Amino acid sequence: MKILNKLIAVLIAIELILTIAMVVLLMSIFNKQNRAIRRAWAKLQKVIMGYKIEVFGKPNKEANLLIINHQSMLDIVVLEDIHPANLAWIAKKEIGSIPILGKILSLPKMIPLDRSNPRAITKLIKDVKDRVENDRVVAMFPEGTRGRGDKLLKFQSGAKIMVSKLNLKVQPVLIIGSKEILDTKNFSANIGKTLKIFYLDMIDTTDENWLENTRAKMQELLDQNL
């Protein structure tokens, strides 16, 4: 079974590379339609991998920052599929250096982050402000990297800094089960499974411990659904 899962993962990896290249080409030609192109691609992945999505709660129209737990590359795909807004993902800048595929950041004006540069927060705040003023909803993984799935990693302070500087309105999103469908770290894939998306209530960011409390609430909900 493990061999089969790895074979499926190889086929999915090839498919992802080819279809992302196609998305880049289409966005280069029809850039004003880049949101529609990204959403169509995300929905195609759902068909190819055969997974189902259960959604609990709903997106708040006032939210302009989503903080999301991170298990798999599939997290981005699923939110691109179901979230109604034009998301601007905060992503490590190294992705933009990948030949051709890296344009997946620059063409739709995602937000590259240089994690090795301590001054990067200044540019990050400037970029986030620009996207929000252009009716984008910013999406970020406050853990900074992919977790194991059962335990959330410590949330980094970047979210707090952005919120305090820009007065952003924050909604947490918890994703459960994406790693079981597509685990790119261990190169394993399972088709036909179901993942869950929980849209939590908006956060009262006047509480100085809001980020830590949000992590605890998300962990509690994660524990209840494993």
Side-chain angles (χ1 to χ4, degrees):
M1 192 66 177
K2 287 184 178 180
I3 295 175
L4 177 59
N5 289 346
K6 288 190 180 297
L7 177 59
I8 293 171
V10 169
L11 295 175
I12 289 175
I14 294 170
E15 179 270 327
L16 285 171
I17 291 170
L18 294 175
T19 56
I20 290 173
M22 181 59 67
V23 166
V24 166
L25 175 62
L26 290 173
M27 287 195 299
S28 299
I29 300 171
F30 309 105
N31 192 254
K32 289 184 178 180
Q33 303 299 320
N34 78 76
R35 176 67 186 105
I37 293 167
R38 284 154 39 212
R39 176 169 285 175
W41 171 80
K43 291 185 179 299
L44 175 64
Q45 302 315 305
K46 183 167 60 180
V47 173
I48 290 173
M49 296 185 216
Y51 58 83
K52 297 185 175 81
I53 303 172
E54 292 183 3
V55 181
F56 302 86
K58 60 182 180 180
N60 192 309
K61 293 180 180 178
E62 294 186 2
N64 49 23
L65 175 64
L66 304 181
I67 56 173
I68 310 156
N69 65 310
H70 196 20
Q71 302 178 358
S72 164
M73 176 187 172
L74 196 59
D75 302 331
I76 297 172
V77 178
V78 171
L79 264 296
E80 284 286 321
D81 177 1
I82 70 168
H83 198 79
N86 185 3
L87 297 175
W89 291 91
I90 297 176
K92 56 185 180 181
K93 73 162 193 174
E94 290 82 359
I95 294 175
S97 302
I98 301 172
I100 300 176
L101 302 185
K103 294 290 186 181
I104 200 73
L105 288 190
S106 58
L107 286 172
K109 295 191 73 174
M110 300 306 181
I111 304 172
L113 176 63
D114 184 357
R115 296 185 293 184
S116 64
N117 183 356
R119 297 182 180 180
I121 190 68
T122 302
K123 183 178 184 303
L124 175 64
I125 291 170
K126 180 181 178 182
D127 287 343
V128 170
K129 183 175 185 289
D130 172 79
R131 303 309 186 271
V132 170
E133 288 177 347
N134 284 280
D135 297 324
R136 303 284 294 273
V137 172
V138 176
M140 72 176 299
F141 300 120
E143 294 168 283
T145 188
R146 276 170 268 185
R148 297 186 300 273
D150 58 341
K151 290 293 179 185
L152 301 182
L153 303 177
K154 179 183 177 182
F155 284 6
Q156 304 301 309
S157 61
K160 257 189 176 179
I161 296 171
M162 288 190 303
V163 169
S164 66
K165 294 290 186 182
L166 301 173
N167 194 28
L168 300 175
K169 297 178 180 179
V170 187
Q171 183 172 28
V173 179
L174 181 69
I175 302 176
I176 301 176
S178 59
K179 186 177 180 181
E180 283 67 43
I181 297 170
L182 182 62
D183 184 351
T184 49
K185 278 191 175 180
N186 296 311
F187 220 63
S188 177
N190 293 278
I191 60 174
K193 290 187 173 290
T194 300
L195 58 81
K196 297 179 180 179
I197 310 290
F198 291 85
Y199 282 98
L200 282 69
D201 293 336
M202 296 273 286
I203 297 171
D204 176 10
T205 55
T206 61
D207 179 354
E208 64 178 12
N209 296 315
W210 69 264
L211 187 62
E212 296 81 2
N213 293 339
T214 298
R215 182 197 171 278
K217 186 175 182 179
M218 291 173 72
Q219 182 65 61
E220 182 180 1
L221 185 57
L222 178 59
D223 292 341
Q224 293 170 359
N225 285 274
L226 289 178

